[in-house]
């Protein structure tokens, strides 16, 4: 059994005031629903505050430098994240790939940096609408995932979570259908199976893209879905709590 994990991606949202009440409410959610793991990935500047004010919730960020330290103006390192008890890093979110030109190679280097420090990398993969409609979905996903499998050691991959996030579903209100999600998750797991059977049984593959209270039950019930990466709905403790409530233990199904 893999325990599901529900991760909030706050993106570049919030203020000290809004985060204060969000943390208080999220602590209540974590206390009430311990059947699933919970984490929030916050803007770097709020790390110290959130680290001090959440309980029973994992803490992470949305991006990290692929370098250790030095003349990299504007970057934040893994060791800085560790100073504030950060445990998770979202790597290769489609917004970083599209708006900040992150390549598959960058994503693999960052995932390696995060996991070799003992933290968890949430590696995002996902196709654009045109890649889906033109029939290159599997090729695109395989390419995005394989480079990570090839660059990381087995122990580093054990610290990796895969997030399937179809680009066309992010922030659009239009989630992928249950059959689309299960098909892709099973495909991603089969790629990991070809690489290492035991890893494939253990690795978490979570779904992100307009996941909300109204579709959480259906999507989180799917055999190969091990949780969710939540953008918009993670800014509301009520919605996030509703999603966490609907998380369940997942059985693995190797195809
Ligand atoms: C995301 O940005 O990772 C995401 C899933 O966003 P949303 O839930 O708003 O679609």
């Amino acid at each position: 059994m893999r325990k599901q994990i529900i991760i909030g991606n706050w993106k570049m949202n919030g203020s000290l005031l809004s985060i204060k009440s969000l943390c208080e409410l999220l602590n209540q959610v974590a206390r009430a629903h311990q059947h699933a793991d919970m984490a929030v990935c916050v803007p770097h500047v709020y790390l110290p505050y959130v680290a001090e004010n959440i309980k029973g919730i994992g803490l992470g960020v949305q991006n990290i430098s692929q370098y250790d330290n030095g003349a990299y103006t504007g970057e934040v390192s893994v060791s800085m994240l560790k100073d504030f008890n950060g445990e998770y890093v979202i790597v290769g979110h489609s917004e970083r790939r599209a708006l900040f030109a992150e390549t598959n190679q960058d994503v693999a280097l960052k995932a390696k940096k995060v996991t070799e420090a003992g933290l968890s990398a949430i590696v995002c993969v996902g196709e654009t609408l045109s890649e889906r409609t033109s029939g290159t979905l599997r090729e695109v996903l395989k390419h995005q995932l394989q480079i990570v499998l090839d660059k990381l050691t087995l122990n580093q991959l054990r610290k990796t979570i895969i997030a399937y996030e179809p680009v066309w579903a992010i922030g659009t209100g239009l989630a992928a259908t249950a059959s689309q999600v299960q098909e892709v998750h099973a495909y991603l797991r089969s790629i990991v199976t070809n690489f290492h059977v035991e890893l494939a049984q253990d690795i978490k593959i979570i779904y992100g893209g307009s996941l909300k209270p109204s579709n959480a039950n259906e999507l989180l019930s799917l055999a190969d879905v091990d949780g969710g990466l939540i953008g918009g709905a993670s800014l509301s403790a009520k919605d996030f709590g509703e999603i966490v409530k609907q998380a369940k233990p997942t059985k693995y199904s190797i195809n």
Side-chain angles (χ1 to χ4, degrees), residues 9 11 93 165 169-171 208-210 229-232:
N9 172 11
K11 310 198 188 192
H93 190 281
E165 295 213 306
I170 296 177
S210 298
L229 181 54
I230 322 293

Side-chain angles (χ1 to χ4, degrees), residues 111-123:
K112 190 163 186 69
K113 193 53 74 186
V114 169
T115 53
E116 75 188 3
L119 308 185
S120 291
I122 303 153
V123 174

Side-chain angles (χ1 to χ4, degrees), residues 18 34 48 50 70 85 103 108 121 138 150 160 168 178 182 207 210 215 218 227 252:
S18 68
Q34 294 180 4
V50 179
N85 301 321
T103 63
R138 288 188 171 222
D150 291 341
T160 301
W168 47 271
Q182 175 53 28
Y207 170 76
S210 298
N215 58 20
E218 186 182 24
Y252 51 77

Side-chain angles (χ1 to χ4, degrees), residues 159-185:
K159 298 293 295 177
T160 301
I161 295 170
I162 300 167
Y164 170 52
E165 295 213 306
V167 179
W168 47 271
I170 296 177
T172 58
L174 187 80
T177 64
S179 65
Q180 287 170 326
V181 173
Q182 175 53 28
E183 187 198 334
V184 170
H185 280 231

Side-chain angles (χ1 to χ4, degrees), residues 204-226:
K204 286 184 172 134
I205 306 179
I206 64 175
Y207 170 76
S210 298
L211 190 52
K212 48 196 169 202
S214 58
N215 58 20
N217 184 41
E218 186 182 24
L219 296 176
L220 294 175
S221 298
L222 298 169
D224 283 292
V225 172
D226 303 311

